[in-house]
């Protein structure tokens, strides 16, 4: 099947839906999603979305600017950070006007809470900057944006899985999807394609990410010749529920929760003397794993305690209802009366598909634009988060740059036509699938995936070194060889998830190699990338963005400069 | 421990009618039923189809009937089941394959209640004011994850002659907008909801409330909608 739209958006999370809402007045917009739109992973965001509204206490965008840059260990491009933090209040009021049911202050304004790394007066003490709706902020923003899309009659292709991006003379001309319900291939021609598909946490064994967050769009872009930026920066959220890795929001610490080791010590006092438990996530995750490594995990196991017992039942049940229900259900602990077992969990990738401030995908270190292709949200790297994202800055990134991409697309398409392409893209996508049929396939895909997830935990997570990264790359390469001989036996056309997972694994293995390779080449420690063999930040040699390019001989690593406008790199202590 | 899972199977490609298949899964007591389903698909039968994503009761993908009661297998732990678990697709909806059902009608009904804020007055420069008490009224309803367990469990929706009833999930969302102090569309909403296939379709049978994975007091909220409609339509004294 072949169809034609002005704009096709891949991904129905906050970035994709925000972009869709922006374009409907001037363009025919379709949204493609591998899951039903309301199942998108943005919905699991809990704690909030940042903006310097100053509803609870004095706050300024300059402070937010500084915190974001410091949080990113000075790798953020400061021109885009400035755009984001200045646009934040407008973006939040807009969401509120759309109907987002934010929690409120006694005066009826949007309520705000503390969150890690967000401070007043350039690091002096925590500031209440995160706007929230209890601890289901992502969910209610997702619902509101989905509802807005219904109102504006956005066309959804739900449960369509993208097989390939289609290019014509270097210009993006659309994409081919696989309709999970029917097994039919669908070539969607478009003047503009926005990639807004979220992260790739499922490459790791312990993750807060859902099953759908496999990251194939990173690799489809890469296979099309587009470099990926800063892929070594993978955020481990400090408080994943042990042992599942489900997110326990930073809001728990924002509301006063305290991390404790087996001795009952508030150990963050040693690692971040000023803002303690509210330090940036990379700092807290390393602290927790250091405590565990030095034998102060609870009962000698791989977790510490997140203590909320002093907050009282009312606060916990009103502001942290969701996480309370997870903790009670999955580990049988009532946070009102007992501490929560937590461990760092793979949560977010700071890197991704490089874009300009309006979502246009960039092709090289010089900033050449790929006509027709856009990116926003976690899969993109505009780079606001640098080497480590602050909590609640991701939802902000999604709505600010989702909207900007929408505006850019509806402006740009006036100059573009649909490219004259026949049904060749359908044939080559069909051939891709045919290659995967293999009667000996069953069982293999799963064991390869498990092996990959373990390798990435062992060599590519919070602490890294050259030897391990090399072992990891070697391991992933041998899995890729084995993958080439695997496949799926069942040729069923209706909801054939085994087929989808087999395709996903191919992309995941490629991505795993790119992450480890980018990490191997960065011989310093910065933000979420920590090298035991190079434990210091090295601004002289590595104050630059990694760009990994596809070549016939494998990934080729290059660099591009960081844009520094206001804050010169300084020592990062919390 | 070993858990037996008896699963409803239907493949439109080869089955004329549904059948049941039992799998034995080696499981830890703290595993989720969803983990067991995944293990079956990964290790025993790759053709088994079911939806899932977040695996902790937020995305709403994996609604199904578990021992006859609609729920989310990602919220259920193995230790709470004895020997054998029966897994079937949600009723009310057409089965597409195995545990996957067609939710188009569910979302059409959802869309029919105008699930968005209706306003006439221009938005202020900053936020529209709302007191914490006004916001608190919405707090339970905005937990809804659209998993469809309530609508699938509703005896009214299950009956052919009343299948047009919009159903509890759509009404929870209607509640969320009708009782939002910022919404100015109550007349329109009352017209949309005040008929036999709208709020009056509810026969107060409580099944929705019993099954809701997010513990939303669904029946109570529908009751409040009915009351609101009744008050709006009462002739002025």
């Amino acid at each position: 099947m072949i169809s034609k739209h002005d704009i096709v958006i891949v991904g129905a999370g906050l970035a994709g839906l925000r972009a869709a809402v922006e374009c409907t007045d001037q363009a025919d917009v379709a949204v493609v999603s591998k899951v039903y739109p309301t199942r998108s992973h943005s919905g699991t965001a809990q704690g909030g979305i940042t903006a310097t509204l100053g509803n609870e206490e004095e706050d300024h965008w300059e402070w937010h600017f500084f915190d974001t840059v410091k949080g990113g260990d000075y790798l953020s491009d400061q021109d885009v950070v400035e755009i984001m933090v200045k646009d934040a209040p407008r973006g939040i009021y807009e969401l509120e006007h759309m109907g987002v049911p934010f929690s409120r202050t006694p005066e009826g304004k949007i309520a705000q809470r503390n969150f890690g790394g967000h401070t007043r007066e350039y690091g002096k003490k925590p500031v209440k900057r995160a706007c929230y709706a209890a601890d289901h902020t992502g969910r209610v923003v997702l619902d509101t944006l989905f509802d807005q899309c219904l109102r504006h009659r956005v066309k959804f292709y739900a449960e369509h899985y993208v097989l390939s991006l289609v290019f014509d003379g270097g210009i993006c001309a659309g994409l081919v999807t696989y309709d999970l319900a029917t097994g039919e291939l669908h070539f969607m021609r478009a003047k503009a394609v926005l990639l807004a598909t979220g992260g790739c946490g499922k490459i790791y064994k312990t993750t807060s990410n859902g099953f759908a967050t496999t990251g194939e769009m990173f690799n489809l872009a890469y296979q099309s010749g587009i470099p990926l930026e800063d892929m070594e920066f993978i955020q481990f959220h400090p408080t994943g529920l042990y042992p599942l890795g489900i997110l326990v929001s930073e809001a728990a610490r924002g509301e006063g929760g305290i991390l404790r080791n087996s001795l009952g010590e508030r150990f963050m006092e040693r690692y971040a003397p000023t803002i303690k438990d509210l330090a940036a996530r990379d700092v807290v995750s390393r602290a927790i794993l250091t405590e565990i490594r030095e034998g102060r995990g609870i009962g000698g196991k791989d977790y510490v305690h997140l203590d909320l017992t002093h907050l009282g039942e009312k606060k916990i049940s009103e502001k942290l209802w969701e996480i309370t229900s997870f903790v009670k259900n999955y580990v049988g602990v009532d946070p009102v009366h007992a501490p929560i077992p937590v461990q760092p969990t793979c949560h977010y990738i700071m890197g991704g598909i490089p874009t300009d401030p309006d979502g246009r995908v960039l092709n090289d270190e010089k900033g050449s634009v790929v006509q027709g292709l856009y990116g926003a949200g976690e899969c993109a790297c505009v780079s606001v988060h640098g080497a480590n994202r602050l909590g609640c800055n991701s939802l902000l990134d999604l709505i600010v740059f989702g909207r900007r991409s929408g505006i850019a697309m509806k402006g740009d398409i006036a100059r573009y036509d649909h490219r004259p392409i026949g049904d060749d893209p359908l044939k080559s996508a069909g051939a891709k699938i045919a290659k995967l049929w293999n009667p000996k396939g069953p069982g293999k895909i799963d064991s390869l995936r498990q092996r990959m997830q373990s390798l990435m935990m062992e060599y590519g997570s919070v602490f890294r070194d050259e030897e391990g990264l090399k072992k990891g790359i070697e391991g992933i390469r041998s899995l890729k060889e084995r993958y080439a001989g695997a496949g799926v036996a069942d040729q069923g056309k209706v909801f054939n998830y085994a087929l989808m997972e087999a395709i996903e694994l191919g992309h995941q293995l490629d991505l795993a190699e790119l992450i480890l390779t980018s990490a191997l080449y960065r011989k310093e420690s910065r933000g979420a990338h920590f090298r035991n063999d190079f434990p210091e930040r090295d601004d002289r040699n590595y104050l630059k963005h990694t760009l990994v390019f596809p070549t016939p001989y494998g990934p080729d690593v290059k660099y591009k400069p960081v844009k520094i406008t206001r804050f010169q790199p300084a020592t990062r202590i919390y | 421990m070993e858990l037996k899972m008896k699963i409803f199977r239907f493949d439109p490609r080869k089955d004329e009618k549904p059948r049941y298949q039992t799998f034995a899964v080696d499981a830890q007591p703290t595993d989720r039923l969803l983990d067991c389903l995944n293990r079956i698909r990964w290790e025993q039968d790759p053709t088994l189809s079911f939806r899932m994503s977040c695996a902790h009761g937020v995305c709403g993908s994996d609604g199904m009937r578990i021992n006859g009661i609609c729920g989310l297998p990602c919220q259920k732990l193995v230790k709470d089941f004895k020997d054998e678990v029966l897994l079937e697709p949600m009723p009310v909806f057409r089965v597409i394959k195995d545990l996957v059902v067609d939710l188009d009608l569910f979302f059409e009904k959802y869309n029919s209640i105008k699930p968005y804020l209706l306003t006439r007055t221009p938005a202020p420069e900053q936020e529209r004011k709302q007191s914490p008490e006004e916001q608190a009224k919405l707090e339970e309803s905005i937990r809804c994850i659209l998993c469809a367990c309530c609508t699938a469990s509703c005896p009214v929706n299950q009956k052919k002659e009343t299948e047009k009833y919009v159903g509890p999930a759509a009404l929870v969302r209607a509640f969320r907008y009708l009782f939002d102090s910022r919404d100015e569309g109550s007349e329109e909403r009352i017209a949309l909801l005040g008929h036999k296939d709208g709020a009056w379709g509810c026969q107060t049978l409580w099944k929705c409330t019993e099954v809701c994975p997010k513990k939303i007091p669904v029946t109570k909220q529908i009751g409040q909608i009915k009351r609101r409609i009744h008050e709006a339509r009462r002739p002025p004294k």
Side-chain angles (χ1 to χ4, degrees):
Chain A
M1 185 175 168
I2 302 181
S3 64
K4 211 158 115 173
H5 298 281
D6 292 331
I7 294 171
V8 173
I9 294 170
V10 192
L14 262 50
L17 296 186
R18 183 62 194 82
V21 169
E22 196 61 35
C23 316
T24 48
D25 60 336
Q26 287 174 37
D28 158 30
V29 185
V31 177
V32 173
S33 171
K34 70 196 277 193
V35 292
Y36 203 84
T38 60
R39 320 303 186 203
S40 303
H41 204 64
S42 298
T44 62
Q46 297 166 357
I49 175 166
T50 39
T52 52
L53 303 184
N55 283 356
E56 305 262 1
E57 54 185 328
E58 184 187 356
D59 201 4
H60 300 285
W61 66 264
E62 291 90 341
W63 298 350
H64 191 187
F65 188 2
F66 171 78
D67 290 337
T68 303
V69 171
K70 180 181 172 183
D73 218 348
Y74 296 90
L75 195 70
S76 311
D77 283 330
Q78 297 185 12
D79 56 339
V80 283
V81 176
E82 183 170 341
I83 289 175
M84 180 176 82
V85 298
K86 278 183 169 169
D87 196 34
R90 189 206 54 74
I92 298 297
Y93 291 137
E94 190 174 63
L95 288 179
E96 198 278 336
H97 296 159
M98 286 180 190
V100 171
F102 286 111
S103 298
R104 299 286 169 156
T105 66
E107 305 80 50
K109 295 179 174 180
I110 295 169
Q112 299 186 276
R113 61 161 55 119
N114 289 321
F115 237 78
H118 292 282
T119 68
R120 60 174 292 131
E121 293 173 81
Y122 309 100
K124 282 209 179 126
K125 57 180 250 201
V127 72
K128 290 182 175 168
R129 184 176 292 152
C131 311
Y132 63 93
D135 57 346
H136 44 206
T137 315
R139 181 75 229 184
V140 299
V141 179
L142 181 72
D143 286 337
T144 306
L145 286 174
F146 175 65
D147 291 350
Q148 289 296 317
C149 286
L150 294 177
R151 175 180 213 165
H152 294 292
R153 299 198 165 79
V154 170
K155 165 86 182 159
F156 281 104
Y157 292 97
E159 299 183 312
H160 274 245
Y161 183 79
V162 177
L163 289 176
S164 60
L165 290 170
V166 177
F167 287 86
D168 178 39
I171 295 168
C172 185
L175 45 85
V176 178
T177 67
Y178 174 88
D179 182 347
L180 277 164
T182 63
E184 297 300 317
L185 300 184
H186 192 146
F187 175 23
M188 297 182 196
R189 300 176 59 200
K191 296 179 194 171
V193 170
L194 173 68
L195 308 180
T197 51
C200 57
K202 274 287 168 189
I203 293 176
Y204 289 81
K205 187 175 171 193
T206 304
T207 176
S208 62
N209 288 190
F211 283 98
T213 33
T214 44
E216 50 274 6
M217 288 315 301
F218 293 88
N219 198 43
L220 283 173
Y222 181 77
Q223 287 174 341
S224 311
I226 293 158
L228 297 180
E229 183 172 343
D230 292 341
M231 294 296 282
E232 63 272 41
F233 297 103
I234 304 281
Q235 178 169 84
F236 275 69
H237 192 291
T239 58
L241 183 62
Y242 178 85
L244 292 169
I246 294 169
L247 179 64
V248 180
S249 173
E250 205 167 293
R253 282 171 288 138
E255 296 293 348
I258 290 170
L259 290 164
R260 297 189 191 281
N261 61 19
S262 62
L263 307 172
E265 284 174 330
R266 184 181 192 180
F267 58 85
M268 280 313 298
E269 284 176 337
R270 282 187 270 121
Y271 298 87
T274 309
I275 57 174
K276 306 181 178 77
D277 301 86
L278 287 172
R281 287 175 178 170
D282 60 318
V283 176
V284 183
S285 283
R286 278 194 297 278
I288 291 174
L289 291 172
T290 304
E291 290 299 304
I292 291 170
R293 226 161 39 170
E294 292 175 359
R296 294 186 293 276
I298 308 297
K301 292 198 178 145
D302 294 344
Y303 65 89
V304 295
H305 273 150
L306 172 59
D307 186 0
L308 311 185
T309 54
H310 53 290
L311 299 184
E313 186 162 8
K314 187 173 183 305
K315 194 172 197 178
I316 291 176
S317 66
E318 278 175 16
K319 294 189 165 175
L320 303 168
W321 186 90
E322 292 274 350
I323 61 164
T324 303
S325 75
F326 304 149
V327 176
K328 277 186 184 166
N329 188 30
Y330 296 115
V331 295
V333 166
D334 182 351
V336 173
H337 303 296
I340 307 168
V342 292
Q343 67 178 155
T345 184
C346 177
H347 187 56
Y348 187 87
I349 182 161
M350 274 64 75
I353 302 159
T355 72
D356 76 3
D358 298 300
R360 297 183 188 91
V361 170
L362 304 175
N363 211 11
D364 54 32
E365 66 276 30
K366 295 186 281 292
S368 317
V369 168
V370 182
Q371 186 183 315
L373 191 62
Y374 301 76
E378 190 173 346
C379 74
C381 181
V382 58
S383 165
V384 280
H385 308 304
N388 170 67
R389 173 176 70 75
L390 291 187
C392 294
N393 267 357
S394 63
L395 297 199
L396 178 61
D397 168 9
L398 305 180
I399 63 144
V400 167
F401 293 100
R403 171 176 169 272
R404 290 179 71 92
S405 306
I407 293 171
M409 287 192 292
K410 69 181 177 185
D412 290 352
I413 56 168
R415 290 180 280 120
Y416 302 160
D417 283 320
H418 285 99
R419 309 294 293 178
I421 301 185
D423 61 355
D424 282 355
L426 286 174
K427 287 180 193 148
S428 47
K432 245 186 190 177
I433 288 187
K435 267 211 286 202
L436 280 167
W437 302 133
N438 182 344
K440 286 177 289 185
K444 218 167 175 188
I445 294 293
D446 173 52
S447 63
L448 293 179
R449 182 179 47 230
Q450 282 187 29
R451 185 73 196 116
M452 169 193 71
Q453 290 169 332
S454 300
L455 276 174
M456 291 304 282
M457 287 307 282
E458 199 170 348
Y459 301 120
S461 56
V462 176
F463 293 107
R464 304 161 170 182
D465 60 38
E466 179 169 332
E467 195 193 333
L469 289 165
K470 283 183 171 162
K471 269 190 201 158
I473 292 169
E474 217 173 284
I476 295 292
R477 285 190 184 147
S478 86
L479 291 180
K480 282 167 96 166
E481 278 166 33
R482 286 168 61 196
Y483 173 78
V488 273
D490 174 30
Q491 299 199 16
K493 282 180 176 294
V494 182
F495 285 100
N496 188 339
Y497 285 110
L499 173 66
M500 188 175 88
E501 287 183 354
I503 301 171
E504 284 169 349
L505 180 65
H507 292 305
Q508 289 174 308
L509 287 168
D510 287 350
L511 270 186
E513 186 183 356
L514 298 182
I515 290 168
L516 297 175
T517 305
S518 301
L520 177 66
Y521 279 77
R522 185 174 285 276
K523 295 178 176 172
E524 65 154 354
S525 292
R526 182 184 298 273
H529 171 70
F530 191 91
R531 290 277 301 254
N532 293 323
D533 43 353
F534 299 97
E536 300 298 323
R537 196 174 78 196
D538 178 0
D539 289 330
R540 210 155 60 96
N541 294 305
Y542 289 101
L543 184 57
K544 54 190 180 184
H545 296 291
T546 305
L547 280 179
V548 53
F549 287 80
T551 77
Y553 318 102
D556 181 26
V557 177
K558 294 183 184 172
Y559 294 93
K560 71 174 182 185
V562 177
K563 289 187 194 117
I564 293 171
T565 58
R566 187 181 288 226
F567 301 106
Q568 289 303 317
T571 319
R572 184 171 175 253
I573 299 169
Y574 280 102
Chain B
M1 62 181 276
E2 189 188 88
L3 184 73
K4 283 205 172 68
M5 298 183 104
K6 186 175 173 185
I7 302 177
F8 176 102
R9 302 298 309 265
F10 175 69
D11 183 346
R13 180 179 50 164
K14 44 189 183 203
D15 297 332
E16 269 178 35
K17 54 178 193 198
R19 60 198 166 87
Y20 286 84
Q21 189 177 1
T22 303
F23 297 90
V25 191
D26 192 25
Q28 299 294 319
T30 52
D31 282 347
R32 295 164 282 202
L33 289 188
L34 181 66
D35 299 321
C36 302
L37 274 170
N38 273 323
R39 225 164 284 149
I40 292 172
R41 194 158 56 76
W42 292 337
E43 294 162 12
Q44 301 186 38
D45 186 348
T47 69
L48 178 65
S49 300
F50 51 91
R51 292 188 176 106
M52 56 152 185
S53 186
C54 82
H56 63 291
V58 178
C59 76
S61 299
D62 62 345
M64 58 183 70
R65 198 144 59 159
I66 304 165
N67 285 346
I69 299 165
C70 290
L72 309 178
C74 65
Q75 280 188 336
K76 308 282 182 197
L77 303 187
V78 167
K79 66 179 168 61
D80 299 323
F81 294 86
K82 283 199 197 90
D83 311 330
E84 188 172 284
V85 188
L86 175 65
L87 297 175
E88 297 165 293
M90 285 191 287
V92 169
F93 310 112
R94 178 180 72 90
V95 176
I96 300 176
K97 180 168 187 280
D98 300 336
L99 301 167
V100 177
V101 295
D102 183 353
L103 286 174
D104 283 356
L105 192 64
F106 174 77
F107 281 102
E108 268 168 41
K109 286 180 174 178
Y110 172 82
N111 196 9
S112 76
I113 60 99
K114 301 207 171 177
Y116 33 79
L117 203 65
L118 297 170
T119 54
R120 284 187 303 269
T121 17
E125 208 162 287
Q126 299 187 333
E127 65 268 70
R128 289 191 168 89
K129 294 283 166 61
Q130 182 171 56
S131 71
E133 295 73 30
E134 286 167 336
Q135 196 272 347
K137 257 189 219 166
L138 314 178
E139 197 50 43
E140 289 167 323
S141 64
I142 59 177
R143 282 183 211 151
C144 175
I145 56 174
L146 298 172
C147 63
C149 286
C150 57
T151 299
S153 307
C154 173
V156 183
N157 281 125
Q158 286 171 0
K159 255 191 255 160
K160 194 85 195 145
E161 54 271 32
T162 47
E163 65 179 3
K164 285 209 173 109
Y165 168 47
V166 69
L171 289 172
V172 166
R173 191 54 55 98
F175 174 95
R176 175 251 170 282
Y177 285 107
L178 181 64
F179 287 93
D180 190 322
S181 60
R182 300 167 296 173
D183 191 82
E184 298 169 316
S186 42
E187 275 175 39
E188 202 175 330
R189 295 195 188 285
I190 284 163
L192 271 173
L193 300 168
H195 56 87
K196 71 172 177 40
D197 295 326
W200 300 120
C202 167
Q203 297 174 10
T204 327
L205 301 168
W206 298 95
K207 288 290 173 204
C208 49
T209 307
E210 279 169 28
V211 300
C212 178
K214 305 303 279 188
K215 299 190 166 60
I216 301 169
V218 184
T219 316
K220 192 173 137 202
Q221 295 190 344
I222 299 174
Q224 286 177 266
I225 296 176
K226 289 175 180 169
R227 193 180 170 140
R228 180 83 179 71
I229 297 170
H230 183 68
E231 280 168 2
R233 287 184 175 168
R234 203 163 40 188
K237 276 181 192 157

